[in-house]
Amino acid sequence: MQKIITLYLSVRAKLALAKDFPLLFMRLVLAYGFYGPAVKKWADINAIADWFASLGLPAPKLQAYLAATTEITGVYLLIMGLATRFISIPLIITMLVAIKTVHWANGFDAGNNGYEIPLYYIIMLLTLFIYGPGRISVDNFINKKFLSKK
């Protein structure tokens, strides 16, 4: 039994060294996921505003600009791991609006344009909001360089 416990503790210690990689991968996957929709929105922001109006969203032009700006800003900040907790909140709100206005009526399955993918994004963004971006980030560099000095 002692050998099993020793092995477990050894594996746990080694895994702890890699704990920041899942946070990095989450940030990069989210950035990639937001990139395409952000670029499409900016390519024809007026068409997006018209689409938002057809969905019954108030101030559709403003919301189109807010969504496009939030998504493209999120791409860059998530890649760098800069202001990660800050950008997670508006990205979560964007995903909640997308679920309510577009995906909910289609059910859960992503294959039916359901809310599955936006829900996964929300879960990943909540994880980043709670845990932060990890050590492989500009946030961590800033924290170590400027905020940790005593």
Side-chain angles (χ1 to χ4, degrees):
M1 185 65 155
Q2 183 62 33
K3 285 185 179 185
I4 292 173
I5 292 171
T6 302
L7 176 64
Y8 168 75
L9 292 174
S10 174
V11 169
R12 190 176 85 175
K14 286 179 176 64
L15 288 174
L17 297 173
K19 70 180 180 182
D20 294 293
F21 286 102
L23 297 171
L24 170 65
F25 297 148
M26 256 191 261
R27 292 192 345 253
L28 296 177
V29 165
L30 284 165
Y32 179 79
F34 281 113
Y35 179 77
V39 168
K40 286 179 185 174
K41 284 179 180 72
W42 281 112
D44 195 351
I45 197 76
N46 291 319
I48 297 300
D50 291 343
W51 179 51
F52 282 8
S54 76
L55 295 172
L57 293 173
K61 191 150 194 156
L62 173 64
Q63 289 211 43
Y65 277 103
L66 285 173
T69 301
T70 298
E71 289 175 0
I72 201 67
T73 303
V75 168
Y76 293 110
L77 293 178
L78 288 168
I79 288 170
M80 293 185 296
L82 176 63
T84 306
R85 287 184 165 118
F86 176 78
I87 194 61
S88 293
I89 295 168
L91 288 170
I92 288 170
I93 292 168
T94 301
M95 290 297 92
L96 289 171
V97 171
I99 287 172
K100 183 182 184 309
T101 59
V102 177
H103 302 285
W104 189 260
N106 301 321
F108 179 76
D109 293 333
N112 294 328
N113 198 27
Y115 59 88
E116 182 177 5
I117 301 300
L119 179 62
Y120 295 157
Y121 284 11
I122 290 170
I123 292 167
M124 288 189 284
L125 288 162
L126 279 172
T127 301
L128 292 171
F129 181 73
I130 293 167
Y131 289 97
R135 289 181 293 178
I136 309 166
S137 66
V138 174
D139 282 346
N140 184 58
F141 172 78
I142 290 170
N143 187 46
K144 285 171 63 176
K145 186 80 172 169
F146 301 106
L147 302 178
S148 294
K149 294 186 177 187
K150 296 183 179 186

